Amino acid sequence: MTKQKVLILGYGQMAIAIIKGILQAKLYEKYDFEISGRNLQKARDFLQTYNIQTYFNVLEDSSSIAVADKVVFLCVKPYGLGSFTFSGEAFKVVSVMAGVSIRVIREKIQAKTYVRVMPNTAAKYQKSSSAVYCENYSSIPIDVLDENLDLLESFGSVVSVGEEKLIDASIATSGSSPAFVALIAQALIDAGVREGLGRIQSKELVRGMFEGFALLLKHEDPQSIIDAITSPAGTTIEGLSVLEKNGVRGAIIEACHQAVAKTKH
């Protein structure tokens, strides 16, 4: 049985995150993988750097890329898409490019199905939370829609959205937000050091707290967690009062809003 060909276009951080998820899921047993980009030597170096050359073939021509019947992952920067010429009709195009509509993608590459997905860097640990939009979802045969779902699920959980604009909206909830949460984590580590903990101790405590918090959030809503921790006239409400006084909640919402707005510029 001939394996479905999957082309990864790009070799940046998101490409390696997706590739690591794919390899962890051992999908090389089902698919034949290819990689290409604007600089083929960089593509080769990329494979060697991560020691994954066994599983990927580098296309020898990046000026005209054959995509007929392939699943094509567009992992390039939005401005880089114009550097490529594609020949043939792809089976499916999966774009991780923020702010680039299917209408624009269709002008560059022909495909039976177009999908936009917004993963985050946790894809490399198979823990991305990714919004997914498939054009004309209701009119696409279910076998075509779901045939390559394992590729998306290989790097984490997926949430289907019914409007394309919600892909960019998910930058707020899961695309850029790991960077915002990392900033909070670093602040908590620094707070522990300020109060006398060693940096290694503080980092370990914060890391463990986030692991526990993920489980809490799986079973409880955020307000319930706050209510359970916050006792009358206690330490937690004192800290929460400071955060509210300084507008932390509003600052986070505005940061997410501006990140989403950036895709429209």
Side-chain angles (χ1 to χ4, degrees):
M1 182 177 177
T2 304
K3 293 182 180 180
Q4 172 84 62
K5 289 186 179 294
V6 178
L7 168 63
I8 307 292
L9 188 65
Y11 35 72
Q13 289 300 310
M14 188 50 65
I16 188 57
I18 290 172
I19 287 170
K20 284 187 174 181
I22 285 172
L23 295 181
Q24 283 288 323
K26 297 183 178 180
L27 291 181
Y28 48 79
E29 296 175 353
K30 179 179 178 180
Y31 298 97
D32 281 334
F33 290 100
E34 301 173 330
I35 189 168
S36 188
R38 289 186 292 176
N39 187 317
L40 294 180
Q41 187 56 51
K42 284 187 177 180
R44 296 185 188 94
D45 293 343
F46 171 86
L47 296 180
Q48 291 180 349
T49 297
Y50 294 99
N51 195 30
I52 54 176
Q53 58 267 40
T54 303
Y55 307 103
F56 284 81
N57 293 317
V58 178
L59 296 186
E60 292 304 315
D61 184 3
S62 61
S63 60
S64 180
I65 299 176
V67 298
D69 299 320
K70 298 177 183 179
V71 177
V72 181
F73 276 79
L74 299 179
C75 302
V76 295
K77 298 292 185 183
Y79 61 79
L81 185 61
S83 302
F84 303 97
T85 299
F86 302 97
S87 62
E89 182 183 48
F91 178 71
K92 185 177 294 183
V93 168
V94 182
S95 171
V96 304
M97 297 183 295
V100 181
S101 69
I102 288 174
R103 179 186 60 80
V104 172
I105 295 169
R106 187 188 288 107
E107 291 174 356
K108 286 296 300 180
I109 179 171
Q110 296 301 306
K112 292 182 175 68
T113 308
Y114 294 88
V115 177
R116 286 187 62 194
V117 58
M118 184 57 64
N120 59 47
T121 189
K124 62 186 175 183
Y125 299 116
Q126 297 179 277
K127 290 296 182 181
S128 176
S129 178
S130 309
V132 177
Y133 171 78
C134 185
E135 186 184 47
N136 301 324
Y137 182 97
S138 60
S139 64
I140 294 173
I142 192 67
D143 58 333
V144 174
L145 185 64
D146 293 342
E147 183 168 347
N148 309 113
L149 189 61
D150 53 352
L151 286 167
L152 299 180
E153 292 181 334
S154 71
F155 48 85
S157 62
V158 295
V159 175
S160 178
V161 296
E163 297 179 77
E164 185 177 1
K165 67 181 182 180
L166 297 180
I167 288 294
D168 292 329
S170 73
I171 289 172
T173 56
S174 51
S176 295
S177 57
F180 306 152
V181 175
L183 185 67
I184 293 170
Q186 188 59 58
L188 293 172
I189 292 170
D190 291 342
V193 173
R194 184 185 185 189
E195 300 304 324
L197 290 167
R199 185 160 294 278
I200 293 176
Q201 294 172 316
S202 189
K203 181 179 179 180
E204 187 64 19
L205 288 168
V206 171
R207 184 196 61 78
M209 181 277 295
F210 268 96
E211 288 183 356
F213 178 74
L215 289 175
L216 287 171
L217 197 59
K218 185 176 181 179
H219 300 286
E220 305 173 38
D221 64 78
Q223 189 59 54
S224 295
I225 297 171
I226 292 171
D227 292 345
I229 300 171
T230 307
S231 55
T235 58
T236 303
I237 192 62
E238 194 69 24
L240 286 171
S241 297
V242 173
L243 294 175
E244 294 290 8
K245 180 180 178 180
N246 285 276
V248 170
R249 186 196 303 253
I252 292 172
I253 293 172
E254 183 62 20
C256 293
H257 175 70
Q258 291 300 327
V260 173
K262 183 69 173 179
T263 67
K264 302 170 184 176
H265 293 165

